[in-house]
Amino acid sequence: MTVRKLGEIGVIRLFREAAEPARGELDVGIGDDCAVLKCCDKKLALSCDAMVEGTHFLRGKIAPEQLGWKALAAALSDLAAVGARPLAALLVLGLRGTESVRFVSRLRDGVVRCARRYKTPLAGGDTVRSPQGLLLSFTVIGGAGAGRLVLRSGARPGHLVAVCGCLGESAAGLSLLLEKQRGVTARLRRRLLRAHFEPRPQLETGSRLAALGASAMIDTSDGLLRDLGHICRESGVGADIELDRVPVSRDLVRFAEQRGRDPLDFALDGGEDYRLLFCLPPAKWARLERVRLPSGERPVVIGRIAERGGIRLFHRGRPARRRIGGFEHFGKRSRG
Ligand code: ADP
Ligand code: MG
């Protein structure tokens, strides 16, 4: 059997099954957005995230500053997903060797801008030759913000499912990059490309949600439904989702209308939005509504966790049919 047939989750399972189960100082191992280490009465969250030329980006389609920003932002988003505050980042940088020094300086500028914005010291890394193309891999370390970290495994039947902010703009930006798109205004084009190239990890919101008692959380990197599937699998539950409640921006609706597409195509399967998707016992919702969160990150309830496994979709209360897509590294769809 090939890796393509086995799929990304299957490959991860190969390692997960062979790895020692978490014990001792390792509190949480393979399977969540971050691993968790217990260290001197504190909990540390660890994660790494790689961006590979040809898989995550195409050379010449993304500015080096944006590449630097996006690679770090995507890694930090995994800290947001457990409610951790960033403590440090390490960068593995793979270069062909033929890049100009100016290119690398601009890449660095993007990394530094993101590191400053999210108060993350760049603490080290490794620089290697990578003849097949550019590679940026960030390892990030975070501390438990309000004392607790939120895992994918804590969702229980009856908990609300909510998402923080609009979905789908990143995927729309990607479609702008890959296909010739006429009739899109410069403003709309700028906005959608920005969503794709300069994601904003929801670190502040993540640690607030952890403090408030979110029961499970994940960042939407692979597409809303695929990421919700990870929560359901790790928690041993299912979910009922109201598609008409999934938040989409007016800009995305306008863009989709122009293309004759359904905005939900972008919002449900697109990925790379890096919005927080979380579960919360209903009794805690009223308190969450009183919390101040960064603009555009207000949570919207899109459904409920159910005892029966699987994700069931509804539209205006009626069952809706839809294939659950999302990003799969070894699938037909690849990012560009
Ligand atoms: P995310 O989308 O949040 O970055 P992934 O889907 O990449 O998460 O990974 C899911 C889980 O599998 C994480 O806990 C990650 O650390 C783990 N993982 C992924 N690849 C490997 C690997 N090659 N070896 C060990 N663990 C892995
Ligand atoms: Mg994640």
Side-chain angles (χ1 to χ4, degrees), residues 79-215:
L79 292 183
V82 296
R85 182 175 59 85
L87 296 173
L90 302 154
L91 168 63
V92 174
L93 180 60
L95 298 168
R96 286 188 176 85
T98 51
E99 299 83 356
S100 68
V101 174
R102 179 164 159 69
F103 175 88
V104 178
S105 302
R106 290 177 58 192
L107 188 87
R108 175 216 49 199
D109 288 347
V111 171
V112 168
R113 198 160 59 82
C114 185
R116 281 214 188 106
R117 166 68 184 78
Y118 297 105
K119 301 188 175 63
T120 308
L122 183 63
D126 195 18
T127 301
V128 296
R129 195 166 84 89
S130 172
Q132 304 300 325
L134 272 176
L135 158 83
L136 285 95
S137 171
F138 274 103
T139 298
V140 289
I141 302 162
R148 70 186 281 276
L149 296 170
V150 188
L151 305 180
R152 294 177 180 179
S153 52
R156 296 293 172 261
H159 288 185
L160 301 172
V161 178
V163 65
C164 297
C166 293
L167 295 166
E169 289 195 351
S170 175
L174 176 61
S175 87
L176 269 176
L177 271 186
L178 298 181
E179 298 153 29
K180 270 219 170 94
Q181 309 264 4
R182 290 201 196 93
V184 181
T185 64
R187 192 198 65 83
L188 185 54
R189 191 180 165 81
R190 247 196 328 272
R191 174 166 172 152
L192 297 177
L193 289 178
R194 194 151 182 228
H196 182 67
F197 287 139
E198 296 174 43
R200 284 164 295 163
Q202 299 183 318
L203 286 154
E204 207 178 311
T205 298
S207 62
R208 295 258 161 84
L209 292 172
L212 265 166
S215 55

Side-chain angles (χ1 to χ4, degrees), residues 33 78 152 218-219 221:
D33 288 286
D78 276 329
R152 294 177 180 179
I218 192 167
D219 60 321
S221 55

Side-chain angles (χ1 to χ4, degrees), residues 12 16 28-36 46-48 78 81-82 149-154 215-219 230-231 234-235:
I12 295 174
R16 190 173 180 178
V28 178
I30 299 173
D32 221 289
D33 288 286
C34 292
V36 180
L46 307 174
S47 182
C48 60
D78 276 329
V82 296
L149 296 170
V150 188
L151 305 180
R152 294 177 180 179
S153 52
S215 55
M217 190 148 64
I218 192 167
D219 60 321
H230 294 320
I231 287 190
E234 295 299 324
S235 298

